Amino acid sequence: MTAMTGTVAAAGTVGASRTRMEGRAKVTGAARYAGEIPFADLAHGWLVASTIARGRVRSVESAPVLAMPGVLAVLHHQNAPRLEEFAGMLGPDPTIQILQNDRVPHVGWPVALVVAETSEQAREAADALVIRYDQEPHDIAFSAQHPGMYTPDDSPLLVTETGKGDIEAGLAASAVVVDEEYTTPEEHHNAMEPHAAMARWDSGRLEVVDSNQGPFAVAQDLAKMFSLDLASVRVRSEHVGGAFGSKGLTRPPVVLAVMAAIVTDRPVRVVLTRRQMFSVVGYRSPTAQRVRLGADTDGRLRAFDHQAASLTSTIHEFVESSAGIGRVMYDADAHHTSHRVVRLDVPTPSWMRAPGEAPGSFALESAIDELAHKCGMDPIALRARNEPAVGPVSGLPFSSRNVLGCFEEGARRFGWADRDPRPGAAREGRWLLGTGTAAATYPARVAPSTAAVTAEADGTFTVRITAVDLGTGARTALTQIAADALEVELDRIQVKIADSDFGQAMIAGGSMGTRSWALAITAAATELRAQLALPGDIPSDGITARSDTAEAIGALARQERHSFGAQFAEVAVDVTTGEVRVRRMLGIFAAGRVVNPLTARSQLIGGMTWGLSMALHEEAIRDQASGAHVNADLAGYHFASNADVPVIEVDWVDDPDTHDPTGIKGLGEIGIVGAAAAIANAVWHATGVRHRDLPIRPDRVLLAGSRGC
């Protein structure tokens, strides 16, 4: 039959709310994560992590462990398979060059893997394994004044410093000046699904099932590390239970699983414990940020200076780009942003939901609120006065920018006009009440991807793309996009994802996935429709069109393309206990074309919930003597639970963007940006006390209140 016969979609499916394609499978348990899929003759690996913060492994006493029931192997630096060093997505990555030497760069570094018949046997043996170290003095103390602070080099993902005009002269000429330091602590992803990987050899081919955000990128890394042809490596990640950046790169579990499969010639699965996830899969670096703003009495900025400091490990540089947010949001004649970093004996930080923008927005949007108060202006009015016409640093035009539309709609729905601007003016019994707001932005990037669309002989269509659904609803969104591109009903589309055999595609990260994949699917569908317009029937094996968007996306980079938003929060502060309760939150966003309002709303609510958690709860603490976490579990590492989260309302304003055929910008991360600042600003409004250090714990509220600061 001819593929395009049948019912054509009467109206576009993009923009309509659709429940998740895999929803029933997930709630019934039919959808299995990497650690749940059964394999015949499966063995289990258990990671053994370093207990010292710096030094060398002197000995691994494996003989007694090898004699324990079920133990198959003990891998360590003296007997593990050798790995090739290579440059991955972000260059050479020593964090996955594990079990290659005796060096220990931080607590939790992988020093051995015990492989056994069952996970219980592997864990018991790992606990019994004696490893002796030569310990060295360590340094884990982070501060902006650390003598080891240095300025990193520019990279494709980081412009270290930008500047124009004379900052000091601009500040000196300003009638109103804010000059403060803001800090954020170390924070961790804690996705629902722990990191897990299974590796086995199948007919001479390495097959991997891994919990990650980009199977093709992981397959590339494994091929290079183990000196294999890329065609002989297959990585699948069909269902992933959250990631937030922690699964964006190749991680130790999959490397260890492949090593163990080589040594034992059996399928081997490695699953991290919750505590191990605090050490080897990345986290958000603590930050110390100095923000200096100078303005005229009418709130117009003369000087803008944002200096951000963060930490990295001694083995691999990662810079939290917190100062980057001001390069988009606000302009001034004198404008300067910079990043510095210090190497410490700690694990390597990495991407974590809205890297840079999340901590950066807390500092910047708190400082903007302080400036508004000093100028005697409404915080929204001050932001409106400083709306830039073009990119403040780049000078490029915005593809679209509807920040003020977000604030206008948000203020109307939140009841901002009824707000008494005086701090500490509203009270209910022992509760002080306050409201706050903050701006949000996140870049709308795109990356090359490939896709294949097949017209089947039965009149259905199959889409194959190495996308990953982290729980965001990507499967559903891509099905809607394909249905629109082919002009057919949803039930005629089958989308297959998360298999490296489908070819190169952007990882599910950076709010780039849906946009990048949509371009590839739309291009392939367009080519397929052209083929189907030719006379003739579809053969039994179908007709396939493939796309590669590498060349097509070049023109899209010549603009400032960002999502924007306005965050609002109301809090109540208990003057007797210091408890802060968030009563309500509202987020209004301008995020381009929304593919699926149902799942989009879920993503934005999730981001705002995390912003609440960041403001009031999250804080990883290290013991200075040992270098180890004191709260590396879900009992000690606090984040918002159901009882902490009020009604959160989200919506979006019209944000037409005709410069991209998809119109999509991405909204997985913008929900967290500015949320913590809005809450912190609300706490100031309630109490008259400014909190510049997160989280805003009860003890800090009480201490600050007693000091009257």
Side-chain angles (χ1 to χ4, degrees):
M1 64 177 292
T2 302
M4 302 310 293
T5 60
T7 304
V8 175
T13 60
V14 169
S17 290
R18 304 282 182 173
T19 57
R20 298 168 192 261
M21 310 295 291
E22 79 287 5
R24 180 178 294 275
K26 282 188 172 177
V27 299
T28 59
R32 290 177 167 172
Y33 295 114
E36 301 175 319
I37 301 173
F39 292 93
D41 202 29
L42 180 68
H44 299 265
W46 200 273
L47 171 66
V48 180
S50 163
T51 57
I52 67 168
R54 183 182 177 93
R56 295 185 179 277
V57 175
R58 185 194 316 157
S59 64
V60 179
E61 299 179 6
S62 57
V65 169
L66 288 167
M68 294 177 69
V71 174
L72 303 172
V74 178
L75 304 183
H76 49 83
H77 70 277
Q78 293 176 316
N79 65 2
R82 297 296 91 186
L83 301 175
E84 294 292 331
E85 296 184 8
F86 71 100
M89 182 183 298
L90 301 181
D93 187 357
T95 66
I96 53 175
Q97 292 288 327
I98 47 180
L99 306 188
Q100 299 301 288
N101 56 57
D102 62 357
R103 191 74 207 164
V104 175
H106 59 77
V107 171
W109 177 253
V111 291
L113 182 78
V114 175
V115 186
E117 295 286 352
T118 69
S119 61
E120 293 81 7
Q121 290 171 331
R123 181 171 192 169
E124 182 182 12
D127 289 342
L129 183 65
V130 175
I131 299 180
R132 303 193 186 279
Y133 302 94
D134 291 323
Q135 194 166 353
E136 301 170 5
H138 65 264
D139 179 10
I140 66 165
F142 169 73
S143 76
Q145 291 73 43
H146 193 288
M149 277 286 174
Y150 68 94
T151 300
D153 294 332
D154 286 352
S155 72
L157 295 180
L158 174 74
V159 176
T160 300
E161 188 168 7
T162 64
K164 65 179 181 180
D166 188 328
I167 288 291
E168 302 306 328
L171 290 168
S174 297
V176 183
V177 173
V178 169
D179 183 353
E180 300 292 350
E181 182 177 87
Y182 306 83
T183 70
T184 61
E186 178 181 325
E187 299 167 358
H188 287 260
H189 307 84
N190 282 308
M192 176 179 67
E193 177 204 12
H195 289 62
M198 185 287 308
R200 69 175 180 177
W201 296 96
D202 184 8
S203 302
R205 197 175 191 218
L206 177 62
E207 180 184 357
V208 171
V209 175
D210 181 36
S211 182
N212 67 55
Q213 295 172 237
F216 189 82
V218 173
Q220 286 181 308
D221 288 353
L222 294 177
K224 293 173 183 175
M225 295 176 76
F226 291 95
S227 300
L228 300 169
D229 292 332
L230 181 58
S232 67
V233 180
R234 184 188 188 192
V235 177
R236 291 179 292 142
S237 309
E238 185 175 359
H239 296 287
V240 178
F244 316 118
S246 72
K247 299 170 184 175
L249 299 171
T250 301
R251 296 301 190 188
V254 69
V255 179
L256 292 169
V258 175
M259 284 181 169
I262 291 172
V263 171
T264 63
D265 196 25
R266 288 177 58 173
V268 179
R269 175 180 291 149
V270 178
V271 181
L272 294 186
T273 66
R274 183 65 58 179
R275 180 170 291 273
Q276 289 168 349
M277 287 169 60
F278 277 75
S279 297
V280 295
V281 299
Y283 57 98
R284 200 190 307 280
S285 166
T287 71
Q289 304 174 58
R290 185 184 184 188
V291 181
R292 298 190 295 170
L293 304 175
D296 296 332
T297 53
D298 65 354
R300 195 171 305 278
L301 284 168
R302 283 177 171 263
F304 180 102
D305 183 33
H306 190 170
Q307 306 167 32
S310 60
L311 62 74
T312 190
S313 71
T314 60
I315 62 169
H316 190 43
E317 183 182 270
F318 180 89
V319 181
E320 188 74 27
S321 55
S322 305
I325 188 169
R327 299 170 184 175
V328 177
M329 287 306 301
Y330 306 108
D331 200 1
D333 291 337
H335 195 288
H336 176 256
T337 66
S338 65
H339 297 95
R340 293 186 303 148
V341 67
V342 61
R343 297 186 186 278
L344 298 176
D345 300 309
V346 295
T348 305
S350 187
W351 301 321
M352 185 166 168
R353 197 172 195 170
E357 280 79 7
S361 64
F362 164 67
L364 177 56
E365 292 300 303
S366 294
I368 289 289
D369 198 72
E370 295 199 51
L371 182 66
H373 177 63
K374 283 192 171 186
C375 291
M377 292 183 65
D378 180 86
I380 297 177
L382 183 136
R383 289 175 171 87
R385 183 148 295 166
N386 288 286
E387 262 292 281
V390 296
V393 172
S394 70
L396 294 173
F398 290 99
S399 63
S400 63
R401 180 182 172 110
N402 199 4
V403 180
L404 298 186
C406 294
F407 274 111
E408 289 167 5
E409 177 64 11
R412 183 188 67 80
R413 292 171 63 161
F414 196 73
W416 188 261
D418 300 328
R419 176 184 192 255
D420 186 333
R422 297 173 301 164
R427 184 165 186 155
E428 290 181 1
R430 69 175 193 269
W431 296 94
L432 295 173
L433 308 182
T435 54
T437 190
T441 187
Y442 198 77
R445 302 187 182 100
V446 66
S449 296
T450 61
V453 181
T454 300
E456 309 290 358
D458 62 0
T460 64
F461 298 84
T462 303
V463 177
R464 294 175 177 84
I465 186 167
T466 313
V468 177
D469 193 328
L470 310 175
T472 58
R475 271 186 186 82
T476 310
L478 296 183
T479 304
Q480 292 175 261
I481 289 164
D484 266 16
L486 293 166
E487 296 188 1
V488 299
E489 296 290 348
L490 282 174
D491 59 8
R492 292 178 63 187
I493 305 289
Q494 181 182 23
V495 173
K496 296 185 176 181
I497 64 172
D499 187 331
S500 64
D501 278 358
F502 298 158
Q504 187 274 334
M506 174 59 196
I507 69 169
S511 297
M512 299 166 65
T514 303
R515 181 187 178 200
S516 301
W517 304 328
L519 282 169
I521 290 173
T522 301
T526 301
E527 171 61 25
L528 180 62
R529 293 188 67 188
Q531 294 184 35
L532 294 174
L534 300 174
D537 292 337
I538 297 176
S540 59
D541 57 352
I543 297 176
T544 298
R546 292 179 172 83
S547 67
D548 186 337
T549 62
E551 294 184 7
I553 66 174
L556 300 177
R558 294 193 289 271
Q559 294 172 322
E560 285 281 4
R561 200 163 193 270
H562 298 260
S563 293
F564 295 97
Q567 302 269 17
F568 295 83
E570 178 184 326
V571 304
V573 182
D574 189 328
V575 296
T576 60
T577 66
E579 179 187 9
V580 177
R581 300 290 296 182
V582 178
R583 288 191 166 188
R584 60 188 176 113
M585 295 181 74
L586 168 68
I588 303 293
F589 300 93
R593 190 182 193 192
V594 175
V595 177
N596 186 334
L598 184 65
T599 53
R601 183 167 280 106
S602 176
Q603 283 296 291
L604 293 169
I605 289 173
M608 292 172 67
T609 301
W610 199 336
L612 183 158
S613 194
M614 178 182 178
L616 303 181
H617 301 284
E618 297 196 42
E619 181 179 25
I621 301 170
R622 293 184 181 275
D623 174 58
Q624 294 295 315
S626 68
H629 283 115
V630 299
N631 61 335
D633 53 48
L634 298 188
Y637 184 86
H638 295 165
F639 51 75
S641 64
N642 288 352
D644 299 302
V645 181
V647 173
I648 297 179
E649 185 181 0
V650 301
D651 211 338
W652 40 87
V653 296
D654 190 34
D655 187 31
D657 186 342
T658 59
H659 301 281
D660 183 323
T662 71
I664 297 167
K665 285 187 173 181
L667 42 69
E669 291 165 281
I670 193 172
I672 191 176
V673 182
I679 292 169
N681 293 338
V683 171
W684 169 82
H685 184 236
T687 64
V689 177
R690 180 68 62 176
H691 288 270
R692 302 185 182 95
D693 306 295
L694 293 184
I696 307 174
R697 303 188 311 251
D699 61 307
R700 287 177 169 169
V701 174
L702 292 176
L703 180 61
S706 67
R707 291 176 175 173
C709 57

